[in-house]
Amino acid sequence: MKPCRCSKPLLVSHRHYREFDFKIDYAINDDPGTGASIFTALQEQLGLKVEPAKGPIETLIIEHAEKPTGN
């Protein structure tokens, strides 16, 4: 099973957030010949609807980094 990586963060829009383990079948790289898109699969197989929205996200900004020095 390949992990799904979305190009945008997902915002959970309800207050009862919990972690779930589930398996869905979806098209790899949105190729219709291999199955449904990840968004269609989420809605049809799990009843979850993913909609575009704007909201706050946590961001970590690294202003400077250096290689570690040897001991």
Side-chain angles (χ1 to χ4, degrees), residues 30-45:
D30 290 329
D31 179 6
T34 60
S37 74
I38 184 73
F39 305 107
T40 302
L42 283 169
Q43 188 165 7
E44 290 178 354
Q45 297 173 38

Side-chain angles (χ1 to χ4, degrees), residues 8-59:
K8 296 181 181 180
L10 294 175
L11 175 65
V12 178
S13 64
H14 57 81
R15 296 175 189 220
H16 304 290
Y17 175 78
R18 293 177 29 200
E19 289 188 25
F20 294 95
D21 290 325
F22 57 87
K23 180 182 175 189
I24 60 172
D25 296 315
Y26 63 95
I28 300 169
N29 296 325
D30 290 329
D31 179 6
T34 60
S37 74
I38 184 73
F39 305 107
T40 302
L42 283 169
Q43 188 165 7
E44 290 178 354
Q45 297 173 38
L46 300 177
L48 301 174
K49 187 173 182 180
V50 180
E51 297 178 328
K54 293 185 178 184
I57 60 168
E58 291 185 29
T59 305

